[in-house]
DNA sequence: CGCTGATCATAG
DNA sequence: CTATGATCAGCG
């Protein structure tokens, strides 16, 4: 019998939260090169032209439904997967994209029915070393965290969301810059700045604008790490 | 050198 | 075009 590496990945979607967590925990400490080998992916030298590569790799390793459907990564479980890039000092190195801003109907939406709330209801956070000094193949996954916002966290997000959404409704997308919002912010989300999408303002008037997305600031994910990973690292 | 605004890849 | 996955790049 030939020796073979223990498989650490599964292609089928997990049937339960427990199974998902179990699979995820097996990946903790594993390098991206090893994961890539397991799922037959090619490791890029840089993320310059492969920005979503790490996220897609982990999705594949955990059996998340691929594709671009507007559903959670694990539809049956209602769980969203987010990789979290970690720099040399152990802090998140980038903001976290949440979802696009529904510019075409932003004036009618309320927090409870918002995409932001929905997306963040249940998230499997997966820290990943993102220090540019570390070769891509050698970067390791951290301990996964199955998370839901605490009441105070949701309240904070809601506060930002209401300010941002309200402002877009009343004064247009141009009135909202990435400077606004303590934990949640709005930034461009498009292939490039010339792309236009239809928007309807608070008075029902249509106009065109560059698509926007909601992002979590590192202040938020940093606090999340502090609370849930205290004592390890 | 942190952060905002811009951008990259892929699927449908 | 929209959705998914994000990081890049250079200004202040």
């Amino acid at each position: 019998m030939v020796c073979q590496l223990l498989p650490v990945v599964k292609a089928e979607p997990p049937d339960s939260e427990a199974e998902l967590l179990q699979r995820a925990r097996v990946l903790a400490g594993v390098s991206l090169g090893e994961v890539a080998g397991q799922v037959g992916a090619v490791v890029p030298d840089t993320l310059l032209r492969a920005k979503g590569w790490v996220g897609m790799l982990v999705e594949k390793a955990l059996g998340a439904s691929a594709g671009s459907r507007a559903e959670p990564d694990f539809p049956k479980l209602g769980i969203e997967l987010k990789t979290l890039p970690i720099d040399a000092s152990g802090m998140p190195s980038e903001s976290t994209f949440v979802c696009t801003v529904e510019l075409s109907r932003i004036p009618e939406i309320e927090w409870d029915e918002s995409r932001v709330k929905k997306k963040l209801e249940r998230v499997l956070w997966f820290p990943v070393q993102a220090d540019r000094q570390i070769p891509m193949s050698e970067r390791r996954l951290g301990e996964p965290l199955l998370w839901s916002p605490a009441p105070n966290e949701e309240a904070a997000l809601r506060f930002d969301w209401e300010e941002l959404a309200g402002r877009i409704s009343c004064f247009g997308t141009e009135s909202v810059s990435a400077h606004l919002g303590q934990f949640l912010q709005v930034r461009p989300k498009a292939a490039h700045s010339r792309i236009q999408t239809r928007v309807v303002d608070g008075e029902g008037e249509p106009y065109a604008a560059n698509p926007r997305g909601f992002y979590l600031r590192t202040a938020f994910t940093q606090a999340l790490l502090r609370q849930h990973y205290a004592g390890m690292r």
Side-chain angles (χ1 to χ4, degrees):
Chain A
M1 190 59 85
V2 179
C3 253
Q4 81 190 84
L5 290 172
L6 286 173
V8 293
V9 298
K10 261 286 192 12
E12 295 305 307
D15 290 318
S16 66
E17 255 189 35
E19 189 184 344
L20 173 59
L21 252 188
Q22 190 172 27
R23 287 187 194 178
R25 285 176 175 151
V26 172
L27 292 176
V30 177
S31 72
L32 298 186
E34 290 170 320
V35 178
Q38 290 285 335
V39 302
V42 176
V43 183
D45 289 333
T46 166
L47 297 180
L48 177 58
R49 298 194 178 277
K51 297 183 180 181
W53 185 79
V54 178
M56 310 278 285
L57 178 72
V58 177
E59 278 187 354
K60 199 167 178 181
L62 291 176
S65 10
S68 56
R69 290 169 303 115
E71 280 189 334
D73 296 299
F74 302 97
K76 181 179 173 183
L77 306 179
I79 296 175
E80 185 69 23
L81 174 65
K82 289 286 176 200
T83 54
L84 189 57
I86 304 297
D87 68 19
S89 64
M91 296 304 191
S93 57
E94 289 287 349
S95 56
T96 301
F97 173 69
V98 179
C99 58
T100 52
V101 181
E102 292 179 278
L103 293 174
S104 62
R105 34 183 242 117
I106 190 76
E108 331 165 355
I109 299 172
E110 294 190 11
W111 167 250
D112 285 325
E113 55 199 7
S114 70
R115 283 185 179 179
V116 175
K117 185 188 175 193
K118 187 74 184 163
K119 276 275 184 187
L120 298 179
E121 265 172 0
R122 198 106 180 106
V123 178
L124 181 64
W125 294 101
F126 230 126
V128 185
Q129 290 183 324
D131 184 346
R132 279 185 166 83
Q133 300 300 109
I134 308 175
M136 200 61 61
S137 289
E138 296 172 25
R139 298 184 189 179
R140 291 179 186 282
L141 296 170
E143 285 290 336
L145 170 68
L146 189 52
W147 171 92
S148 289
N152 65 309
E153 292 173 317
E154 188 188 323
L157 293 174
R158 175 178 187 154
F159 184 88
D160 285 343
W161 185 90
E162 287 178 343
E163 180 189 11
L164 296 165
R167 209 166 161 118
I168 291 174
S169 298
C170 296
F171 308 112
T173 59
E174 301 306 316
S175 70
V176 174
S177 77
H179 295 90
L180 291 171
Q182 186 179 2
F183 298 117
L184 195 66
Q185 64 180 169
V186 168
R187 303 218 304 275
K189 169 60 176 174
H192 53 78
S193 58
R194 299 168 304 269
I195 286 183
Q196 298 283 97
T197 190
R198 308 174 88 107
V199 189
V200 174
D201 68 20
E203 297 178 343
E205 291 302 309
Y207 64 102
N210 187 232
R212 306 301 166 102
F214 283 110
Y215 295 78
L216 290 177
R217 291 181 179 279
T218 53
F220 188 87
T221 47
Q222 185 178 126
L224 192 151
L225 289 179
R226 213 171 40 231
Q227 290 175 47
H228 298 275
Y229 293 87
M232 36 187 296
R233 275 212 338 244

